[in-house]
Amino acid sequence: MSEFKKMAIVGYTKTKELAPFNDPEFEIWGMNDLYKHIARWTRWFDIHGDDVVQASEQAGAKPGRDTRAAREARFKTMNCPIYMTEKHPDIPNSTSYPLDEILEHFGQCFTKPEQARYFTNTVSYMLALGIYEGFEEIHVYGIDMATNSEYGHQKPSCEFWLGVAAGRGIKIYVPDEADLLKARFLYGYEAKQ
């Protein structure tokens, strides 16, 4: 558990620049190879098994993205917890993401506990951990999940976990520029636009 009450999850899109890097009241959570693009972080996440990373690299990594080897070299120098699918023996600050605890905790909310297994992206894992740890405020920057992008199928999971947070009384902040938690019109009350 953290002594902080506020956390900010930071992703790759332009709104990452709005994150509260200079506000000492916030924990800042980053992911993957974003370390090249943000000023500060207190926790790091790389929830990709080696088999997934290897398959991705064989298919051709995205331009500008670090390989697994480059990320692991950088992770060895980070002075913060680095959440991975399992503790990595060559990365001193790596730790296993507490998946079993998260699934057990949130599984109690469902008549079918397996329905808590709704994780389609790293951000959803981050949100669930923040909720589980009892943060009072969760901000999300640089996470658009535009439906017309490769992340469109991941967006519902992020919105689900944001809804779980809000349902537990956690204050949520998503920049106006982001696609998360947006509707074009209020169904039944406003004309379709």
Side-chain angles (χ1 to χ4, degrees):
M1 299 296 174
S2 172
E3 77 265 14
F4 291 88
K5 295 182 178 181
K6 300 177 182 180
M7 62 175 275
I9 295 173
V10 183
Y12 289 86
T13 66
K14 188 163 179 60
T15 61
K16 71 181 177 291
E17 299 165 5
L18 303 173
F21 296 115
N22 296 320
D23 188 336
E25 291 187 15
F26 277 85
E27 270 205 27
I28 306 289
W29 294 10
M31 68 188 87
N32 305 334
D33 63 353
L34 188 63
Y35 46 78
K36 299 183 293 186
H37 306 287
I38 62 175
R40 157 177 99 83
W41 54 83
T42 54
R43 297 194 209 187
W44 208 260
F45 292 77
D46 193 341
I47 307 293
H48 298 97
D50 288 337
D51 55 337
V52 172
V53 173
Q54 185 178 21
S56 176
E57 288 178 355
Q58 288 174 349
K62 291 181 182 178
R65 292 278 174 100
D66 280 353
T67 63
R68 171 62 104 188
R71 286 203 309 248
E72 288 179 0
R74 179 65 174 107
F75 292 163
K76 289 178 185 179
T77 68
M78 285 185 172
N79 190 22
C80 69
I82 302 166
Y83 294 87
M84 305 178 88
T85 54
E86 56 189 29
K87 182 165 180 54
H88 198 293
D90 296 331
I91 301 173
N93 290 323
S94 69
T95 187
S96 295
Y97 180 85
L99 183 61
D100 291 339
E101 292 93 330
I102 294 292
L103 293 176
E104 181 179 335
H105 177 79
F106 291 106
Q108 297 173 31
C109 301
F110 295 89
T111 57
K112 295 180 177 182
E114 66 273 11
Q115 290 178 325
R117 300 172 60 89
Y118 192 27
F119 296 99
T120 62
N121 55 75
T122 300
V123 176
S124 295
Y125 285 112
M126 296 164 88
L127 288 165
L129 185 59
I131 298 163
Y132 177 71
E133 289 192 5
F135 281 88
E136 295 175 5
E137 209 167 301
I138 298 177
H139 292 214
V140 179
Y141 301 91
I143 312 292
D144 285 350
M145 301 286 179
T147 56
N148 61 349
S149 76
E150 69 177 286
Y151 303 107
H153 72 280
Q154 298 178 359
K155 182 180 180 183
S157 174
C158 283
E159 291 182 324
F160 169 79
W161 289 105
L162 286 167
V164 170
R168 291 188 176 202
I170 298 170
K171 289 185 180 179
I172 302 297
Y173 175 78
V174 175
D176 291 340
E177 300 87 343
D179 285 347
L180 290 172
L181 302 179
K182 302 292 187 299
R184 291 182 303 139
F185 61 94
L186 191 60
Y187 180 83
Y189 290 89
E190 297 173 349
K192 185 176 179 180
Q193 301 176 19

